[in-house]
Amino acid sequence: MKMYSDLAPTQARVLLASNSPRRRELLRMIVPEYDMAVMHDVDESYPADLADVDVAPYLSRLKADAYRAQLVENEVMITADTVVISDGRILGKPADEKQAVEMLRSLMGHTHKVVTGVTLTSTHVSETFSETTEVIFGNISDREIELYVSNFRPLDKAGAYGIQEWIGCVAIQGIRGCFYNVMGLPLHTLYRRLRDFKV
């Protein structure tokens, strides 16, 4: 596992199981060399009575279980899931542009939570953790929301927005917590968990 740390184990191979290009870029910031896991389709449904803050870690474990069989000795696999929680509702990825606009309208003028669940898995052990960041949205016009959706097409993003994009500059007044968590990986915590993970 090549990390920017003298404490990192040197023999472990890191695998990332994710379709998200943002997670791939983020992980490279703390693990410059890693490999992609062979992707599988995973049913991302969850129990209806599950607490909203527990959904993301639950889904990250679900993904880990789907990939566990392909692991060999001295490998650690990372699976993750991010959800947006607003007024007790979980906002996943919008189905279309209309739903993306509706999601963003509901976020304007409010504070919502972004929760990312991460599971680290080896052949012998699995460890799950999560991180929550609060995001404070101001207000922008319906026309500005529509222009953002049509130009950036945030259909692959929970809550229908990317904090690193134009909308993050003009609509987000502030955050409480990890910025990178909103993008899809809590890098500060993940770095330390990987560094200490017993493969």
Side-chain angles (χ1 to χ4, degrees), residues 22 94 97 100 104 144-157 160-170:
R22 288 165 302 283
E97 290 192 6
L104 288 171
E144 287 169 315
I145 291 173
E146 290 163 3
L147 285 171
Y148 168 71
V149 170
S150 63
N151 282 284
F152 288 85
R153 294 190 55 78
L155 305 185
D156 63 337
K157 299 175 178 68
Y161 76 91
I163 192 172
Q164 72 278 15
E165 296 174 342
W166 173 85
I167 198 166
C169 301
V170 302

Side-chain angles (χ1 to χ4, degrees), residues 3-187:
M3 297 172 64
Y4 297 116
S5 169
D6 292 336
L7 301 178
T10 56
Q11 300 302 313
R13 176 187 181 215
V14 177
L15 297 171
L16 175 65
S18 176
N19 283 317
S20 168
R22 288 165 302 283
R23 285 203 183 104
R24 297 174 189 183
E25 294 170 7
L26 289 170
L27 182 60
R28 198 165 284 113
M29 294 174 71
I30 60 171
V31 183
E33 294 179 10
Y34 68 87
D35 295 301
M36 296 301 301
V38 177
M39 301 305 295
H40 299 301
D41 289 327
V42 179
D43 178 11
E44 296 187 19
S45 56
Y46 53 87
D49 60 349
L50 196 63
D52 53 15
V53 294
D54 293 332
V55 170
Y58 175 89
L59 292 175
S60 76
R61 284 192 299 271
L62 204 64
K63 294 174 183 178
D65 290 342
Y67 288 94
R68 190 187 305 270
Q70 73 184 64
L71 288 172
V72 298
E73 292 289 330
N74 294 320
E75 289 184 339
V76 55
M77 182 180 59
I78 302 169
T79 53
D81 196 88
T82 301
V83 299
V84 170
I85 304 169
S86 178
D87 294 327
R89 288 192 309 134
I90 293 178
L91 305 181
K93 299 172 184 175
D96 52 34
E97 290 192 6
K98 180 182 178 182
Q99 189 176 48
V101 169
E102 291 170 353
M103 282 186 182
L104 288 171
R105 281 178 181 156
S106 74
L107 295 177
M108 293 301 138
H110 296 88
T111 298
H112 63 269
K113 293 185 290 188
V114 178
V115 181
T116 299
V118 180
T119 298
L120 307 179
T121 307
S122 71
T123 54
H124 300 295
V125 66
S126 184
E127 174 185 312
T128 299
F129 61 94
S130 66
E131 186 133 345
T132 300
T133 302
E134 292 186 337
V135 180
I136 307 158
F137 259 82
N139 286 294
I140 59 175
S141 69
D142 285 353
R143 179 60 178 156
E144 287 169 315
I145 291 173
E146 290 163 3
L147 285 171
Y148 168 71
V149 170
S150 63
N151 282 284
F152 288 85
R153 294 190 55 78
L155 305 185
D156 63 337
K157 299 175 178 68
Y161 76 91
I163 192 172
Q164 72 278 15
E165 296 174 342
W166 173 85
I167 198 166
C169 301
V170 302
I172 294 177
Q173 294 179 328
I175 67 170
R176 290 189 284 265
C178 176
F179 172 84
Y180 297 109
N181 188 53
V182 185
M183 289 180 66
L185 278 178
L187 293 185

